[in-house]
């Protein structure tokens, strides 16, 4: 989704810092971009639709703010790209979020010229208007921000200061030796500083030669608490890989081993789960499938019922939450609005919130009572791979910990890490398979038990990377409708692990084969029902981990074959921060 990067510095390279900062947050997804730099007495803006160029000649300036836009209000046009200016061109703004009442606010503005269709431009004209009565930019921004409905983060400048206000949308401030920076992703700040301030909602701050922080409602000053992080910027760069997705898939064995270093956190959480009156797992997209896997794992391993919901539906079914319930919110980014909203509502009911997230300092992380980091390192490809694997491993280990068998869980996760290494070595084999099926319009994936959520996740991975319509089904559902979709040559992936589902899912493989399907068996052993066999050694309940890596690699190879950039699927963003 939209990305923000702003700099005020004693040096004159603010625009080029903004350009490289925007390049670092490109992965969030965008369809246009822009940079405003304060030169002389007013702002100069460069903006365009599409992706940032590889190189850009920019003027010298001490203050610059930039934006990558993911269109919501108004189409993808140069005029709608941020930054926006007021009528005098002395004020500029970049904005993430949606101003729900922007039409009402716009009606109140008389004598202003609007050049875009955006809600953002309304904000900057409101601030321009407020500047006539308020004593400072800070006050004008604060008063305006209070009138905005919805979840918004704004960065505004008059050329002397940068004023930042936020509610809902993530923003992080960095303090460098030459000045201050603000960005929607902390990793983008790492080339300049490791001293970071994760902004709380309803705060406003002003950056010039110093930094002042206030509550946006009462303008009461407070002392900012910067944290020094020890993150490595190079972890979020491509290194020698052609795509982030490939790099992140290769990092998975190490991610699994990182998770195994954090067994104490898992043990502590297991104690809380045991005491809770009802445990609920929520997440969106890929994370939701990790949550659904949790239902199966908790049943099979811990003999315990846990509930699951996709984040965006949870608000409609959460009436049963109490102060004794436990809500485990699973999110790579920790910013997904469809997770943050139900968590906000659960907090009102005093439900204990657990954040299982990859992002230290994220909104979810800050909201949670108990925090467990995924240990996956920065993930940039839109298609989640290593973070998903870390979710699977953490939830699997948690179910073993609740059963009092954590060491056994750790042993099979280690085994699965080795098996992921073997799957990664078989990329040439997966490439051949991708070539064989890349022209398919539809593809189906079958699994039962633990492999049902894996079928759903595999389908999502294939959809978003290759744009092939892929659907995951529980094997048992075939005869209830899905079988009608199978025609000659339809690729069907069948997960056949060495568990109680083996016989039944092999029967499903035979059923689809009889209807002409091209059956791709992912299993510990070959079977006559398979037209194509991909071997994954049995590692017990953790076999789900290497199984899903097969689907990730297949999705990646399909994207290459179909000439799609796997890191930037059309219409999708890495972090979904607006509804
Ligand atoms: O950051 P989150 O884990 O909360 O993101 C949730 C989904 O938006 C995300 O998993 C999405 O489905 C991915 N593109 C899947 O690969």
């Amino acid at each position: 989704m939209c990305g923000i990067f702003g700099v005020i510095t004693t040096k004159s390279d603010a625009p080029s810092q903004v350009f490289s900062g925007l390049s670092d947050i490109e992965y969030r997804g965008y369809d246009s971009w822009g940079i405003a730099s304060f030169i002389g007495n007013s702002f100069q803006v460069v903006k365009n639709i599409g992706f940032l160029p590889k190189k850009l000649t920019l003027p010298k300036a001490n203050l610059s703010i930039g934006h990558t836009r993911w269109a919501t209000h108004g189409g993808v046009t140069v005029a709608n790209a941020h930054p926006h200016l007021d009528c005098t061109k002395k004020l500029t703004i970049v904005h993430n979020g949606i101003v729900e009442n922007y039409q009402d606010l716009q009606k109140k503005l008389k004598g202003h010229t609007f050049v875009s269709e955006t809600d953002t431009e309304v904000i900057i004209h409101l601030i321009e208007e407020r500047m006539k009565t308020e004593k400072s930019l800070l006050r004008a921004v604060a008063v305006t921000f209070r009138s905005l409905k919805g979840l918004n983060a704004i960065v505004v400048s008059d050329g002397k200061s940068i004023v930042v206000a936020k509610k809902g949308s993530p923003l992080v401030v960095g303090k460098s030796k030459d000045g201050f920076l603000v960005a929607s992703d902390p990793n983008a700040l790492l080339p300049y500083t490791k001293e970071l301030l994760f902004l709380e909602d309803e705060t406003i701050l002003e950056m010039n030669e110093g930094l002042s922080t206030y509550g946006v409602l009462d303008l009461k000053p407070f002392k900012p608490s910067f944290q020094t992080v020890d993150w490595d910027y190079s972890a979020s760069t491509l290194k020698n890989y052609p795509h982030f997705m490939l790099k992140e898939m290769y990092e998975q064995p190490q991610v699994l081993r990182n998770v195994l270093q954090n067994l104490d956190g898992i043990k502590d959480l297991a104690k809380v789960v045991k005491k809770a009156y009802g445990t609920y797992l929520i997440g969106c997209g890929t994370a939701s499938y990790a949550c659904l896997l949790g239902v199966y794992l908790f049943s099979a391993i811990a003999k315990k019922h846990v509930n699951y919901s996709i984040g965006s539906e949870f608000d409609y079914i959460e009436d049963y939450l109490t102060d004794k319930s436990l809500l485990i919110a699973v999110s790579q980014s920790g910013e997904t609005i469809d997770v943050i909203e139900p968590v906000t509502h659960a907090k009102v009911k005093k439900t204990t919130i657990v954040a299982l997230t990859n992002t230290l300092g994220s909104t979810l992380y800050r909201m949670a009572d108990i925090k467990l980091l995924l240990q996956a390192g920065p993930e940039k490809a839109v298609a989640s791979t290593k973070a998903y694997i870390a979710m699977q491993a953490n939830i699997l280990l948690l179910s073993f910990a609740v059963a009092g068998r954590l060491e056994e869980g750790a042993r099979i996760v280690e085994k699965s890490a080795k098996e992921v290494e073997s799957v990664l070595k078989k990329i040439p084999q997966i490439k051949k398979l991708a070539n064989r099926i890349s022209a398919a319009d539809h593809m189906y994936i079958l699994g039962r038990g633990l492999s049902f959520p894996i079928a759903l996740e595999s389908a999502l991975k294939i959809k978003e990377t290759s744009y092939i319509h892929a659907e995951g089904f529980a094997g048992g559902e075939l005869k209830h409708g899905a079988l009608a979709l199978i025609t000659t040559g339809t690729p069907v992936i069948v997960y056949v692990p060495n568990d109680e589902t083996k016989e039944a899912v092999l029967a499903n493989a035979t059923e689809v084969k009889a209807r002409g399907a091209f059956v791709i068996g992912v299993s510990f052993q070959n079977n006559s029902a398979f037209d194509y066999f991909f071997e994954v050694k049995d590692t017990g309940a953790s076999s789900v981990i290497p199984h899903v890596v097969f689907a990730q690699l297949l999705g990646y190879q399909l994207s290459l074959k179909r000439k799609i950039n796997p890191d930037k699927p059309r219409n999708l963003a890495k972090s979904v921060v607006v509804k």
Side-chain angles (χ1 to χ4, degrees), residues 221-485:
F222 68 89
K223 198 167 171 269
S225 47
F226 276 88
Q227 297 180 28
T228 308
V229 296
D230 60 359
W231 304 339
D232 173 17
Y233 173 66
S234 74
S236 64
T237 61
L238 259 183
K239 298 191 175 152
N240 289 324
Y241 288 90
H243 297 106
F244 280 107
M245 187 180 175
L246 186 65
K247 173 181 173 254
E248 288 158 7
M249 289 188 293
Y250 268 105
E251 286 169 353
Q252 297 185 111
Q254 186 54 47
V255 167
L256 292 169
R257 290 176 182 126
N258 293 349
V259 173
L260 290 172
Q261 296 303 309
N262 188 32
L263 296 182
D264 286 348
I266 290 168
K267 262 189 225 157
D268 291 346
L269 180 55
K271 286 182 204 149
V272 182
V273 172
K274 279 190 203 167
K275 281 197 200 134
Y277 285 74
T279 297
Y280 305 90
L281 288 158
I282 63 165
C284 297
T286 282
S288 77
Y289 300 135
C291 295
L292 180 59
L293 178 67
V295 173
Y296 285 88
L297 284 167
F298 268 79
S299 167
I301 312 293
K303 315 293 175 217
K304 190 173 171 62
H305 173 64
V306 297
N307 299 273
Y308 134 91
S309 169
I310 53 177
S312 55
E313 287 296 310
F314 194 57
D315 267 347
Y316 310 124
I317 53 166
E318 54 89 279
D319 295 323
Y320 40 64
L321 284 184
T322 70
D323 58 354
K324 295 192 177 58
S325 322
L326 182 69
L327 180 60
I328 306 183
V330 185
S331 169
Q332 188 286 128
S333 59
E335 300 295 353
T336 301
I337 189 70
D338 292 319
V339 171
I340 299 300
E341 275 202 351
V343 166
T344 310
H345 301 149
K347 275 179 84 75
V348 176
K349 297 185 172 180
K350 302 207 172 2
T351 295
T352 304
I353 309 293
V354 179
L356 182 53
T357 178
N358 204 27
T359 317
L360 180 86
S362 59
T363 305
L364 178 62
Y365 183 89
R366 284 180 282 112
M367 288 172 96
D369 304 295
I370 300 168
K371 303 149 203 285
L372 195 61
L373 285 170
L374 285 170
Q375 317 286 345
E379 186 182 73
K380 286 199 152 182
V382 166
S384 180
T385 55
K386 61 175 181 166
Y388 175 70
I389 291 296
M391 290 169 190
Q392 281 189 323
N394 272 287
I395 293 173
L396 181 142
L397 289 165
L398 185 60
S399 67
F400 272 93
V402 170
R405 294 157 52 198
L406 184 54
E407 282 176 11
E408 184 188 337
R411 266 197 307 279
I412 63 166
V413 169
E414 175 52 43
K415 274 192 185 168
S416 75
K418 287 208 183 83
E419 198 43 29
V420 170
E421 283 164 348
S422 333
V423 172
L424 286 163
K425 284 189 190 129
K426 291 192 224 163
I427 289 184
Q429 196 182 324
I430 296 175
K431 191 172 174 184
K432 271 195 199 146
L433 173 63
N435 291 345
R436 163 82 172 72
I437 62 175
S438 66
D441 292 323
H442 310 277
M443 196 182 289
Y444 302 101
I445 300 120
L446 301 179
R448 286 173 178 253
L450 292 182
S451 302
F452 170 51
I454 303 311
L456 299 178
E457 166 59 11
S458 303
L460 174 60
K461 217 80 311 167
I462 289 168
K463 264 184 264 199
E464 63 184 339
T465 50
S466 70
Y467 310 160
I468 293 174
H469 166 236
E471 255 189 276
F473 289 108
E477 280 296 285
L478 257 189
K479 288 198 272 295
H480 300 289
L483 205 51
L485 300 167

